[in-house]
Each structure stands twice: as C-alpha cells, then as structure tokens.
Amino acid sequence: MSKLATLSTILLLGSVLVLSLPTSLSRRESPCGAVHILVARGVNQPPGEGNLAPLVTQIKTRLAADTTVTSEAIRYTATMVPYPASAAEGTEAVKSQLTDAASRCPTSKIVLLGFSEGAHIIGDAFGGGGGGHFLGPKTPPMNASIIREHVKAVVLFADPRHNVAEPFNRGTATKGGLFPRDAEQVAALSEFKDLIVGYCDRNDIICASGKSTLVHLTAVVRHLDDATDFVAGKV
C-alpha cells in the first residue's frame, strides 16, 4: 500500500469523529490570555480545533481558577491531496501564526497542540520540513528565539514524521511514521525537548508503521489527561 493510500484510510473515520465534536471553539482569534493555545487539526478535519477541542477545553478548565486561556486554530487546508503541499502550507502557517502571536501577545505563555498532520506541521516548523522523495526539498526551521522566548509547551499526537530517536517520545511505538524525520531534523527539533511531549502508540497506521486506524484516531482521547497534566505543569 502506498503512503498516500495509507493516509487515505483515515479520511472517512476521521471526518465522522470530528463532526461529532462541539464546534464552538473552532474559530478563536483572541485577545490574548495569559496562556494562548495554537491548535493544529489533522488531515481532512474541518477548519477549527478538530479532535483537539476536548483537550483545549480540559486545559482551560484546569487553569481557569488561576489564569485566563485563549486559543486559535492554525489556518491551513489540511487536505489529503496533495499532502506535501498541504503540509508545506501548514508549516508556514504555524511559523506565521506563532510569530504573530508572539508579537501580539508578548507576555502570553504560548502552547501548541497538534494531531496527525497538525503534529507534522508543528514539528516541521520547529525542526525543519521536507526531505525524501515524497515531501520534497528540505525547508529550514523558524526563528528559534521566538520559540525560546514565548513557547512553554508543545504536544504532538500521532505525528506522521515520528522518529523513535526523538527524546520527547512518551508513547508505546517502537517504529517510525510514514515520513520519519532524518537525523538532522531530529537534532534540530530535539533542541526543544524540554518543551515537547510526543504521543505515538504501537500499531498506529500513520505514526508507527502499524495497521490500526483506530489507534491513530483515538490518540488524543487516550492521552488526554497526561497531556493536560504536561501543559499545566509547564505554564
């Protein structure tokens, strides 16, 4: 099965899962809270926070007694075809919106959440993108000083670019994803290992070269509480 065909297997189930979630959080261009969350949905999910919305809600609930929390969705097409172009567009959107948020919200603690392609584009913004015959030419990471000065936590779920050598891995996967980062990209992304947690579990069809679409689609729900604890402990 080709990589594109493998990715296609998640489309229908992913759409059904996301359409069942609340949409009230799908468009948030804030005034900025003390904590500001950038949310990158997965491939083929409708614009907004996608299946990350429950995590955004849980983080807001956890922090509500002590601080204000706002959120906004990364604005990109998140399409299957052509996936490389969608990922490249999304990576630039992460760079742009993070740079804008840092300027617009200079005192806010910024958190990034990404699922599937959303995790892909956040990782590529931080560690460099592209590479290999499928994703095209390599692209440089964004300005590291913006990340260091403003970002407090990053959560990546079921990343197609997962590499088992990444030091922030917290899932059960023992194999890499469909488009694993090369050593240079892993090293660049690992510069921010103190800010990042990554969840990829064994047999995930996208991030662990497995056979289970269900493992992939349920990654956020499975690690919801641990991810919330991670973010709360960082901000």
Side-chain angles (χ1 to χ4, degrees), residues 76-80 82-94 117 120-122 124-125 129-130 134-135 139 161 179:
Y76 79 115
T77 54
T79 54
M80 176 62 63
Y83 184 82
S86 175
E89 176 202 10
T91 300
E92 291 306 308
V94 172
E117 187 181 4
H120 175 155
I121 64 176
I122 292 172
D124 280 10
F134 185 73
L135 294 178
T139 58
R161 305 216 68 186
F179 321 114

Side-chain angles (χ1 to χ4, degrees), residues 45-180:
Q45 296 183 352
E49 295 174 353
N51 64 338
L52 289 160
L55 177 57
V56 175
T57 298
Q58 186 157 298
I59 292 170
K60 289 182 175 182
T61 299
R62 172 75 67 87
L63 300 177
D66 301 312
T67 192
T68 56
V69 185
T70 50
S71 62
E72 66 179 283
I74 297 297
R75 297 180 291 276
Y76 79 115
T77 54
T79 54
M80 176 62 63
V81 181
Y83 184 82
S86 175
E89 176 202 10
T91 300
E92 291 306 308
V94 172
K95 294 178 181 179
S96 176
Q97 286 182 242
L98 176 51
T99 300
D100 177 69
S103 175
R104 180 166 44 91
C105 321
T107 62
S108 294
K109 298 175 181 179
I110 297 177
V111 174
L112 293 96
L113 311 175
F115 167 71
S116 195
E117 187 181 4
H120 175 155
I121 64 176
I122 292 172
D124 280 10
F126 280 39
H133 70 280
F134 185 73
L135 294 178
K138 294 178 75 170
T139 58
M142 67 178 294
N143 186 334
S145 66
I146 293 175
I147 299 170
R148 277 293 170 204
E149 291 172 16
H150 298 277
V151 175
K152 301 303 178 184
V154 179
V155 185
L156 306 178
F157 295 96
D159 183 358
R161 305 216 68 186
H162 167 250
N163 185 313
V164 294
E166 292 164 343
F168 48 80
N169 289 329
R170 197 177 286 188
T172 61
T174 57
K175 298 179 181 178
L178 292 177
F179 321 114

